Amino acid sequence: DADVTQTPRNRITKTGKRIMLECSQTKGHDRMYWYRQDPGLGLRLIYYSFDVKDINKGEISDGYSVSRQAQAKFSLSLESAIPNQTALYFCATSDFTGTANTGELFFGEGSRLTVL
Amino acid sequence: AQTVTQSQPEMSVQEAETVTLSCTYDTSENNYYLFWYKQPPSRQMILVIRQEAYKQQNATENRFSVNFQKAAKSFSLKISDSQLGDTAMYFCAFMKPREKGGADGLTFGKGTHLIIQP
């Protein structure tokens, strides 16, 4: 099984619908991130979290919200989806508490969202 | 804010050739970390190689190596003896030092689509 699991893998929805993308990890990492990937734009940070009580906005947080339900779970919500939120969304984790911290991000397999 | 620039949107080479992907970045930090990630058509993000700025020696991982030029703020990736399985998007990424907010995530370039032709 994957260390970082995202659901759903693919989703098609309509404008105005509420969408939740879920992420769970078995790596025991403290840091979790949501990135958005668009063709020609690379990956951009939406939100990140240090623990269940710590949520931080990234570069492009408008139109999104997150919830860190537990150390292992971090969900991304689109309250009212719009077509320009059509993208590939990645959840990632990182371990900044261990002495072997390398800064490496460990990614889920991505959730492709299409908003019609 | 840090920026990462990949000036080659797409590259195509023949199998077995050597190819170099370019990456430049802008930062005022002296110590930081640089990464190359590979994204094959499966869309999984895979770490290729990592470099710490305080290390003079260029990182290598099998057929993958970097040319890290700190003064020029350049971090190119060289792939030797390229294989069909190297076909992918390649992203260069920057991370600030931990004590300067490195845990806030990586800053990515826009990517280079590398195609290996048979």
Side-chain angles (χ1 to χ4, degrees):
Chain A
D1 290 339
D3 294 323
V4 183
T5 303
Q6 293 183 231
T7 55
R9 293 290 313 280
N10 299 282
R11 180 73 181 270
I12 300 173
T13 191
K14 295 182 178 180
T15 298
K17 294 292 187 180
R18 184 179 188 273
I19 294 297
M20 179 180 286
L21 306 179
E22 298 185 329
C23 177
S24 63
Q25 53 124 339
T26 58
K27 300 189 75 66
H29 290 170
D30 54 340
R31 299 290 174 120
M32 296 188 74
Y33 307 82
W34 276 104
Y35 280 88
R36 168 178 172 160
Q37 182 181 1
D38 297 277
L41 296 180
L43 282 79
R44 293 177 292 165
L45 183 62
I46 306 173
Y47 272 97
Y48 60 102
S49 169
F50 297 172
D51 62 37
V52 294
K53 298 180 180 179
D54 187 283
I55 302 292
N56 302 277
K57 293 182 178 180
E59 178 186 355
I60 53 165
S61 60
D62 288 349
Y64 302 95
S65 62
V66 292
S67 173
R68 184 85 181 264
Q69 301 95 326
Q71 188 200 31
K73 296 184 181 294
F74 192 37
S75 60
L76 175 71
S77 294
L78 289 69
E79 297 301 325
S80 180
I82 56 177
N84 76 1
Q85 291 178 314
T86 292
L88 180 59
Y89 292 85
F90 281 101
C91 175
T93 71
S94 186
D95 180 12
F96 270 82
T97 58
T99 56
N101 162 45
T102 63
E104 177 185 355
L105 290 182
F106 296 84
F107 287 86
E109 295 177 313
S111 297
R112 183 169 299 284
L113 176 65
T114 302
V115 184
L116 301 177
Chain B
Q2 285 65 226
T3 58
V4 178
T5 302
Q6 294 180 247
S7 59
Q8 305 147 314
E10 186 168 289
M11 298 183 70
S12 180
V13 299
Q14 296 295 123
E15 192 175 9
E17 290 183 347
T18 294
V19 60
T20 299
L21 309 182
S22 66
C23 173
T24 59
Y25 56 93
D26 186 27
T27 184
S28 58
E29 300 292 341
N30 185 53
N31 192 22
Y32 45 86
Y33 304 86
L34 296 162
F35 304 82
W36 278 99
Y37 277 86
K38 169 184 178 180
Q39 185 182 43
S42 66
R43 81 192 193 196
Q44 181 67 39
M45 293 288 288
I46 302 165
L47 179 66
V48 175
I49 205 163
R50 173 181 181 273
Q51 175 80 42
E52 297 169 31
Y54 67 86
K55 290 186 176 179
Q56 299 289 334
Q57 187 172 6
N58 289 324
T60 62
E61 287 289 341
N62 300 313
R63 297 183 295 107
F64 298 86
S65 61
V66 298
N67 183 4
F68 174 49
Q69 300 290 328
K70 189 173 183 179
K73 296 180 182 176
S74 172
F75 183 60
S76 60
L77 175 69
K78 185 173 82 171
I79 306 174
S80 303
D81 185 27
S82 57
Q83 301 174 359
L84 297 179
D86 295 332
T87 293
M89 284 291 295
Y90 287 82
F91 293 99
C92 180
F94 172 97
M95 188 184 85
K96 293 182 288 185
R98 180 175 181 168
E99 64 275 13
K100 296 285 186 72
D104 297 347
L106 304 186
T107 299
F108 286 86
K110 295 181 179 182
T112 295
H113 185 206
L114 176 63
I115 300 168
I116 308 300
Q117 304 278 7

